[in-house]
Amino acid sequence: AEPEKVKDFQCTLVRLLSLLHAVACAQLHGGGALAHFDEEVIDAQGLDAVTLKTLMEEECKVELILQWIQSLTVDGQTNGVVVIAPPMLSSIFQSLSKMLGSFYGAYRLTEIPYPFPYKQTTELLLLTHCIITPMVMCDFTSEPGWTAFFSFALSLILISLNSIAHELEDPFGDDSNDLNLKEMQIELNKRLLMLVAPETQHLPETSPTAQDLTVQPGHRCRMYTDSMDPATKAAINGANAMGPTLTAPLKKTISNVDLLVLQQREKVMAGVPSSSIGASAASSKEVGYRDDSSDFGALPSIKGA
């Protein structure tokens, strides 16, 4: 497909995803007021006028935008803008369906309030407890101070639990203990814009100066040697510079895994077949070197290289 069509598809999809999340958050916030998140939507004015007018007039905004995303994906597949294998395309639609189901589950928390009779009964029982508790505590304590303390403590615990339940009843409001929906919208926009940034469109490639790992297997342990202490790293660097003439005293200062890497490199440089390289582990034990191969998960890959 033409690069311009692919870019237009990507930008339209990013706008719809940002708008979908903002509309869902606005509906969970209460009243469907999109004004709370309008300034955080990624270039909603970049969509055509008919789309914006339809969105403003429709009550079921989440379902509408979700249908637009599915239609955009299918049209892109049909027109050759995006090439998606059928199993992956089906997985995309399944993920969108799961997202809609999760939205409905969260929306039920705001749409179905706590039953009013239960709430009134709870308040009445708490009031009764606060009145009766001091009277009962008079029979269990002999000092007025202890009576006041225990009555206050018990009443405070129950009232606090009831207040916590009230705060958790609707986590999508404006209270300090509610979820920060605007921050969630901002974080989503950052991730969406990162996906369409020019620098992230570049696929990683091997540089011209990269080492051939099949010819010099020792370079596979470059990250491992970077984490060594300076003394051990200096010993390994000196051993690499010496090449096949590696001396025994210097080998004794290197752990078993480092020795296997060096021996393997020596054999490769000397033209020894790779099938005989695995015997270096047994020879290292015969000369009395420290065997700590169980601490390194990269050891089997060194042997089978």
Side-chain angles (χ1 to χ4, degrees):
E2 299 178 1
E4 290 297 328
K5 292 184 178 180
V6 175
K7 182 178 179 180
D8 182 69
F9 172 84
Q10 293 176 344
C11 295
T12 304
L13 183 60
V14 165
R15 291 187 179 95
L16 290 178
L17 289 175
S18 177
L19 188 60
L20 174 63
H21 190 269
V23 169
C25 290
Q27 191 166 346
L28 293 176
H29 185 272
L34 188 57
H36 294 279
F37 307 93
D38 182 58
E39 67 275 10
E40 305 300 341
V41 178
I42 298 178
D43 191 25
Q45 293 75 17
L47 300 173
D48 60 281
V50 177
T51 299
L52 296 177
K53 180 180 179 181
T54 305
L55 182 62
M56 292 296 104
E57 295 177 352
E58 182 60 43
E59 294 183 1
C60 303
K61 294 180 173 58
V62 175
E63 292 81 357
L64 177 62
I65 299 177
L66 188 64
Q67 177 61 29
W68 283 344
I69 294 176
Q70 292 178 344
S71 300
L72 180 67
T73 305
V74 174
D75 290 344
Q77 175 76 2
T78 303
N79 299 330
V81 176
V82 292
V83 180
I84 307 175
M88 297 182 61
L89 187 62
S90 176
S91 178
I92 293 174
F93 290 154
Q94 290 178 3
S95 299
L96 292 175
S97 300
K98 291 180 180 179
M99 183 274 298
L100 186 61
S102 300
F103 168 75
Y104 286 150
Y107 186 63
R108 280 195 291 269
L109 295 177
T110 61
E111 192 70 10
I112 303 176
Y114 188 74
F116 182 75
Y118 287 153
K119 183 176 181 179
Q120 292 299 103
T121 303
T122 303
E123 298 290 342
L124 180 61
L125 290 176
L126 285 175
L127 179 61
T128 304
H129 179 272
C130 294
I131 296 175
I132 296 179
T133 299
M135 303 178 185
V136 176
M137 283 298 164
C138 292
D139 296 336
F140 289 93
T141 57
S142 58
E143 297 292 336
W146 288 113
T147 302
F149 173 76
F150 285 117
S151 300
F152 175 77
L154 292 175
S155 301
L156 178 63
I157 292 174
L158 294 179
I159 293 175
S160 300
L161 293 176
N162 182 66
S163 301
I164 293 174
H166 179 71
E167 287 291 328
L168 297 178
E169 182 179 352
D170 185 8
F172 305 109
D174 293 324
D175 299 335
S176 57
N177 295 324
D178 293 336
L179 297 175
N180 194 340
L181 299 180
K182 295 191 67 174
E183 185 66 23
M184 295 170 61
Q185 177 69 22
I186 294 174
E187 292 298 325
L188 176 69
N189 291 340
K190 290 180 180 179
R191 289 165 172 78
L192 292 175
L193 292 176
M194 179 269 297
L195 295 177
V196 295
E199 55 272 15
T200 59
Q201 299 292 321
H202 172 73
L203 295 179
E205 299 177 355
T206 303
S207 64
T209 59
Q211 300 291 340
D212 189 353
L213 301 182
T214 60
V215 177
Q216 300 182 9
H219 288 281
R220 299 178 184 176
C221 297
R222 181 178 299 174
M223 294 182 61
Y224 165 66
T225 55
D226 289 343
S227 62
M228 291 181 181
D229 58 278
T232 306
K233 186 184 297 185
I236 294 178
N237 292 336
N240 289 338
M242 297 176 64
T245 62
L246 188 63
T247 60
L250 184 58
K251 287 184 179 180
K252 293 182 180 180
T253 64
I254 306 174
S255 64
N256 186 37
V257 174
D258 305 324
L259 181 59
L260 291 177
V261 174
L262 295 174
Q263 289 176 346
Q264 183 182 21
R265 181 179 178 183
E266 292 173 5
K267 292 179 180 296
V268 172
M269 296 176 63
V272 179
S274 59
S275 59
S276 62
I277 297 179
S280 58
S283 61
S284 62
K285 293 183 179 179
E286 293 176 358
V287 297
Y289 298 134
R290 180 169 58 91
D291 185 8
D292 53 359
S293 59
S294 59
D295 297 334
F296 298 88
L299 184 57
S301 63
I302 295 176
K303 182 178 179 180

